[in-house]
Amino acid sequence: MKINGNEIKPGNVLLHNGDLYIAVKVGHVKPGKGGAFAQVEMKGIVNGTKLNERFRSSETVEKVRLEQKDFQFLYQQGDMLVFMDNETYEQIELPEEFVGERTAFLQDGMMVTVETYEEKPLGISLPDYVTLEITEADAVVKGQTASSSYKPALLENGLKVMVPPFIGTGEKIIVDTNEVTYVRRASEGYY
């Protein structure tokens, strides 16, 4: 879909010079002389390169809509992750580095959202929160104040998070998958 340069908004995905970019910042400039333009800071979706471009309001740019589809995580095979489309039962394999360090949060049967453009996967979204069990937590040191006494705990997926002193081994906690931080005990209600 073609849009004018002055219609670009942050979050828009644009096809520019043959590459896909996401608009990060957009500033509209009306100089004393000449026509108005949009100053757009963009980030490459595939390679992550940053680019600053000016688009005159009379110029058109190709706005791209990414397809979003839900997939279920099945299993890991070597360095490949296998997902299944619940509607067609078609399976796709994505390299582990596609998900990055958040691969540790993938659990059997977990639903994820894969963003694609022309059938090519570009990004993946995991649930914001997961429930994990603590396999190892340090003992509380007497004399520490409650406000600053978060202690390291090892989760069942091998990651470490800082937890309050009252959390012990064997307890299930809710973890934020974006920040990799403790949210609360799993028994304290759900999102």
Side-chain angles (χ1 to χ4, degrees):
M1 167 172 85
K2 295 247 186 229
I3 61 170
N4 289 338
N6 60 348
E7 295 175 312
I8 300 171
K9 293 181 175 49
N12 287 163
V13 177
L14 308 171
L15 184 60
H16 182 67
N17 295 339
D19 288 320
L20 288 175
Y21 291 91
I22 186 161
V24 180
K25 284 185 189 171
V26 179
H28 295 283
V29 182
K30 293 181 181 171
K33 275 185 157 178
F37 61 88
Q39 183 71 40
V40 183
E41 183 182 313
M42 302 184 293
K43 185 177 179 191
I45 290 180
V46 178
N47 54 16
T49 56
K50 288 193 175 178
L51 187 66
N52 276 306
E53 285 286 341
R54 287 182 174 186
F55 295 99
R56 301 223 170 266
S57 51
S58 59
E59 286 181 85
T60 59
V61 65
E62 186 72 29
K63 182 181 169 189
V64 173
R65 200 179 159 131
L66 298 180
E67 291 287 318
Q68 291 189 331
K69 202 163 196 187
D70 290 337
F71 284 85
Q72 184 178 21
F73 175 65
L74 296 179
Y75 56 89
Q76 183 164 357
Q77 185 173 322
D79 61 351
M80 297 302 281
L81 306 169
V82 182
F83 297 89
M84 180 181 72
D85 182 331
N86 278 351
E87 291 173 16
T88 64
Y89 301 108
E90 178 186 331
Q91 291 184 8
I92 62 166
E93 289 187 7
L94 298 173
E96 191 177 339
E97 66 258 15
F98 185 79
V99 181
E101 59 191 29
R102 296 191 319 153
T103 299
F105 289 115
L106 287 172
Q107 298 170 345
D108 290 347
M110 178 182 277
M111 293 304 292
V112 299
T113 303
V114 178
E115 288 187 321
T116 59
Y117 175 67
E118 294 180 344
E119 305 293 318
K120 183 179 189 282
L122 295 176
I124 189 165
S125 300
L126 273 58
D128 289 333
Y129 303 100
V130 294
T131 303
L132 292 165
E133 188 175 322
I134 293 179
T135 55
E136 197 179 296
D138 292 352
V140 178
V141 178
K142 288 195 183 308
Q144 283 186 323
T145 59
S147 62
S148 65
S149 61
Y150 270 57
K151 61 184 184 181
L154 184 66
L155 299 169
E156 63 183 281
N157 63 358
L159 293 178
K160 280 193 172 182
V161 293
M162 298 301 284
V163 297
F166 58 83
I167 299 290
T169 301
E171 288 197 63
K172 289 191 180 287
I173 62 168
I174 306 285
V175 179
D176 182 320
T177 61
N178 299 307
E179 303 290 323
V180 192
T181 54
Y182 163 86
V183 178
R184 66 172 192 288
R185 273 183 175 146
S187 59
E188 295 174 15
Y190 298 97
Y191 275 98

